[in-house]
Amino acid sequence: MRPRQTATAWLLLTPFAVIFLVFTAVPVVASLAMSLTDIRGIDLRDPFGVDAVGLANYLDLLSDPAFGQAAVNTLYVVVVGVPLTMAAGFALALVLDRGIRRFRGAFRALFYAPVVANIVSVALIWQYAFNQNGTVNTVLAAAGLAGPNWLGDERLAMPVVILLGVWRNFGTAMLLFLAGLQTLPKEVYEAAAIDGAGRWRQLRSITLPLMMPTTLLVSVLLSVFFLQVFDEPYLLTNGGPLGTTESMALFTYHQFGFGNIGTSSAASFLLLIIVAVVSALQFRILRVRT
Amino acid sequence: MATPRPRLVTIAALLAAAALVVTGCGRDTAGGSDAAAVTVDDSPATGTVTLWAPDGDATKLGEVLAGFRQQNPGLDLQITLVPSDEYNTKLQTAIAAGTTPDIAFLYTEAQTQFLASRAFAPVPDGLVDPGSFFEGSWAAGERDGTAYSVPWYAYTRVLIYRKDLAEAAGVTAPKTWDETVPFFQALQRAGAVHGYGADVGWDTYNGQTLATFAHQAGATLLSADGSSWKIDDPAVIGAAEFNASFFTSGVSSPDTPQFLDSQPYLVSGKTGSMISGPWVVATLDTTAQQEGWTAAHIGTAVLPAGADNDSGQLAGGSWGVNAASANQQAAWKVVRAMAQQDTQVAQYEAAGSMPAVVAAWDDPSIAGQPLLRPFLDQLKNVRPLPAVSTWNEVSTLLGKAMESVARGKESAADAMAAVQKQADSIGTD
């Protein structure tokens, strides 16, 4: 690059670089430093008057059953939530790409609405819907079924939380898949049709392999979303009943609320490491096929 | 595939930076010194004073202080309301960032973590008369013998029950633990679905309820010098068993009523009683959509006595003044105004906040309500919650343990032994 171009490039980068430094890099380093000390809420006015404890916060977390439960809960959300969201998004993208001719724009907007809807008000509506005497149970009662206490039951609360997460994110997956589908070459399908491949065969042998790059992108994006799941359990259950819906991000937030700033910084870094590892793994596994 | 080296370098650099920051640290054992207390005169307050409070009792504070604002035209009082669920977290963040307002509301029962951070100034001598408040309200703001907050409102929880059902069953409010479950069963015979509406949602309130019962059984929860937790203790286990007996005997359900349902359930007879605060008495008519419903259907009584005593628990709101405030003079004048008897009564009339000043309860607007009398009696007979900065965390653990005992997942003894272990690692301060 010529020097002048380099200067221009830097000039254009400056706004982002400044914002990134002030709002991301500095807090990240500060948080990393705090995770290596025994800083608590009562030390906030004298943040340097604390002791360095090395990796003790990390080791304590790894042996803390509540953190373990939060990690398992988060894994549960990812393992169930990501495939469900992808399946729903992919199915709708296929329908929009092939099936629907009229009102395509309206349907696309409708399916994307949950992504932009305000999660706080949506969660409030869900809370009423899944209350013991809420809409869902009223409908079940009309059908002669006794509805459970959805959000108060240890087995059922998490599925409701995951359902909200899926409902909120399938629009994003759909949009990305739709963009991917629309770039696929038509000739390949024509050739396959002449060779006698049916719709399912085309989907399995052409669409899915060609969509691999998009699938990789969507799966990484959604995994990162779901690993950091916070809004849904925070708004629906605040981690209850008996901690069954407490995700790692929510655990971190609660620790901060208790004033355990060192612990919560360490927990957020552990979450960061997990996000990085999971993303790297997915790239590694799916790249082989792209 | 890029070489991993640059990333390693970045991580190493971050770690080195962190290590550099950390080595500049170290706890000083001497303890910091407090800002010298200011003296507050009687001249009008001037300048800008910012005030934060959770939405709720403070919603009408601007109207309550209208007269004070007229008398102090040079004062610009800026009130910011914060959603009550997030208030403590937001205040903690503000303290960390150094953006604390001049005056901050403090939950009377949960202010220790903020007082311990020395973010608040000591109350100037002679600003208010400590003896004019409920003893428990004033004591909650003290740390090592110095007061850091001034009480504003105070409440306690007592037994609120369906008087009409009790009369139909021929029973009177229970005086001891032993009489409690039979009383609730009698309410059920008279038509209540559940005799007692209890909420075992896992949260700090649940832990506070257990703490109340533990105090009644003679437990202290803390060692005498406050340095260690005493949770794996026969009195605490007995209290947890007593609390769980409501669920095992069938007078309560662990699933309902949820918080928002508690009042409608009492009105419809799905529950026959609850242990709750004075706002219930004030709002039941609205819930029942019938003027005079409460007076005809509701009775209140002080809590039944455990093996040791019949104490309750004091909660409420207090005010602290930012130790770093540039306008402490005016801030303390605002706090002083809020602690005056006529302001306290005006605050009660505006928002139903029960006065922290004992004499304000003699005002006809309060004294004329027999249902409020047990609240006053109970407020004079309270035990403080553990005044350590980790109480909020430990009480959440207690609440979680209580929920699992109530749902029959584990025995009270096992649950309390587990909490003891966790509390030991959390420590007291």
Side-chain angles (χ1 to χ4, degrees), chain A residues 29 32-33 36-46 48-52 66 69 128 131-133 149 152 154 234 239-243 246 253 255-261 284, chain B residues 1 14-15 17-18 21-22 24-28 86 89 92-93 95-96 113 116-119 202 255-256 258 260-261 265 270 323-324 389-390 392-393 396 400 403-404 407 409 429:
Chain A
V29 174
L32 182 62
L36 303 173
T37 68
D38 60 356
I39 187 166
R40 292 189 41 229
I42 57 177
D43 303 313
L44 286 176
R45 290 182 68 231
D46 180 19
F48 292 100
V50 294
D51 287 340
Q69 188 186 22
Y128 280 113
N131 181 302
Q132 184 112 9
N133 316 310
N149 181 10
E154 290 163 68
Y234 173 70
L242 291 178
E246 179 151 275
Y253 174 81
Q255 285 297 323
F256 180 81
F258 294 142
N260 301 332
I261 294 169
R284 187 60 62 83
Chain B
M1 177 77 210
L14 276 178
L15 279 170
V21 174
V22 169
C25 303
R27 288 188 184 280
D28 54 349
E86 298 311 316
T89 312
Q92 179 157 297
T93 312
I95 291 172
Q113 61 171 323
S117 72
R118 298 206 192 86
W202 155 39
D255 292 334
T256 58
Q258 284 152 354
L260 288 176
D261 295 327
Y265 272 38
K270 281 188 181 170
S389 61
T390 52
N392 192 6
E393 186 172 3
T396 304
K400 194 176 175 182
E403 185 179 1
S404 86
R407 292 184 185 277
K409 299 255 174 263
D429 236 350

Side-chain angles (χ1 to χ4, degrees), chain B residues 14 29 35 61 91 110 171 186-187 193 227 248 263 283 300 310 328 339 355:
Chain B
L14 276 178
T29 44
L61 186 59
L91 182 59
V171 289
L187 294 180
V193 179
S227 66
T248 49
Q263 290 193 31
T283 53
T300 53
D310 59 352
Q328 280 202 23

Side-chain angles (χ1 to χ4, degrees), chain A residues 157-218:
Chain A
M158 189 57 117
V160 175
V161 168
I162 292 175
L163 196 64
L164 178 57
V166 171
W167 180 84
R168 188 186 174 190
N169 288 314
F170 78 79
T172 310
M174 174 199 77
L175 219 56
L176 291 166
F177 280 129
L178 190 58
L181 286 173
Q182 288 170 344
T183 60
L184 299 184
K186 291 269 181 292
E187 303 81 10
V188 188
Y189 287 96
E190 283 160 10
I194 289 164
D195 287 345
R199 279 207 144 190
W200 284 113
R201 186 63 208 257
Q202 287 181 18
L203 177 68
R204 221 180 55 224
S205 305
I206 303 172
T207 311
L208 285 179
L210 285 177
M211 284 290 284
M212 243 343 158
T214 312
T215 309
L216 169 66
L217 173 77
V218 175

Side-chain angles (χ1 to χ4, degrees), chain B residues 272-349:
Chain B
S273 66
M274 64 203 285
I275 289 179
S276 193
W279 56 86
V280 175
V281 173
T283 53
L284 270 177
D285 273 5
T286 314
T287 310
Q289 294 175 335
Q290 187 185 335
E291 189 85 23
W293 186 91
T294 313
H297 295 80
I298 293 295
T300 53
V302 293
L303 296 176
D308 189 71
N309 62 70
D310 59 352
S311 64
Q313 209 158 75
L314 182 140
S318 306
W319 297 107
V321 168
N322 179 2
S325 164
N327 199 355
Q328 280 202 23
Q329 276 278 355
W332 283 121
K333 285 173 186 172
V334 175
V335 171
R336 180 170 63 191
M338 289 191 282
Q340 270 159 3
Q341 197 172 322
D342 53 350
T343 324
Q344 294 260 301
V345 173
Q347 173 64 32
Y348 166 73
E349 282 167 347

Side-chain angles (χ1 to χ4, degrees), chain A residues 219-230:
Chain A
S219 79
V220 172
L221 269 181
L222 288 178
S223 302
V224 171
F225 275 159
F226 277 102
L227 274 170
Q228 299 183 61
V229 67
F230 173 86

Side-chain angles (χ1 to χ4, degrees), chain B residues 23-311:
Chain B
T23 45
C25 303
R27 288 188 184 280
D28 54 349
T29 44
S33 58
D34 279 315
V38 291
T39 47
V40 180
D41 56 32
D42 287 335
S43 63
T46 54
T48 303
V49 172
T50 52
L51 178 149
W52 282 10
D55 201 8
D57 290 86
T59 309
K60 297 200 171 126
L61 186 59
E63 295 164 37
V64 171
L65 289 176
F68 175 77
R69 279 173 154 165
Q70 274 168 0
Q71 291 157 12
N72 299 270
L75 172 76
D76 177 18
L77 177 63
Q78 298 172 356
I79 298 173
T80 305
L81 295 174
V82 177
S84 56
D85 293 354
E86 298 311 316
Y87 183 78
N88 275 351
T89 312
K90 188 166 167 61
L91 182 59
Q92 179 157 297
T93 312
I95 291 172
T99 55
T100 321
D102 297 312
I103 303 174
F105 174 95
L106 295 165
Y107 285 101
T108 303
E109 65 279 15
Q111 57 184 318
T112 309
Q113 61 171 323
F114 298 116
L115 303 186
S117 72
R118 298 206 192 86
F120 292 98
V123 180
D125 283 337
L127 181 81
V128 289
D129 170 17
S132 66
F133 305 99
F134 287 105
E135 204 184 327
S137 295
W138 183 263
E142 285 185 320
R143 200 172 159 82
D144 306 328
T146 308
Y148 292 92
S149 69
V150 174
W152 180 40
Y153 69 89
Y155 69 87
T156 184
R157 291 182 169 82
V158 302
L159 181 65
I160 299 169
Y161 62 96
R162 285 284 299 268
K163 189 176 56 177
D164 54 330
L165 298 181
E167 281 166 5
V171 289
T172 53
K175 300 261 187 296
T176 63
W177 278 13
D178 291 344
E179 296 170 11
T180 307
V181 170
F183 172 79
F184 294 145
Q185 283 166 333
L187 294 180
Q188 280 180 202
R189 283 198 302 277
V193 179
H194 284 111
Y196 171 51
D199 181 349
V200 290
W202 155 39
D203 60 11
T204 176
Y205 295 108
N206 210 348
Q208 286 178 18
T209 306
L210 179 58
T212 307
F213 293 143
H215 284 150
Q216 291 175 348
T220 53
L221 299 172
L222 281 173
S223 62
D225 62 352
S227 66
S228 63
W229 291 99
K230 286 173 63 183
I231 287 162
D232 192 5
D233 171 285
V236 183
I237 294 167
E241 279 165 351
F242 171 62
N243 198 353
S245 72
F246 303 134
F247 304 96
T248 49
S249 66
V251 295
S252 301
S253 149
D255 292 334
T256 58
Q258 284 152 354
F259 180 73
L260 288 176
D261 295 327
S262 55
Q263 290 193 31
Y265 272 38
L266 193 65
V267 170
S268 69
K270 281 188 181 170
T271 56
S273 66
M274 64 203 285
I275 289 179
S276 193
W279 56 86
V280 175
V281 173
T283 53
L284 270 177
D285 273 5
T286 314
T287 310
Q289 294 175 335
Q290 187 185 335
E291 189 85 23
W293 186 91
T294 313
H297 295 80
I298 293 295
T300 53
V302 293
L303 296 176
D308 189 71
N309 62 70
D310 59 352
S311 64

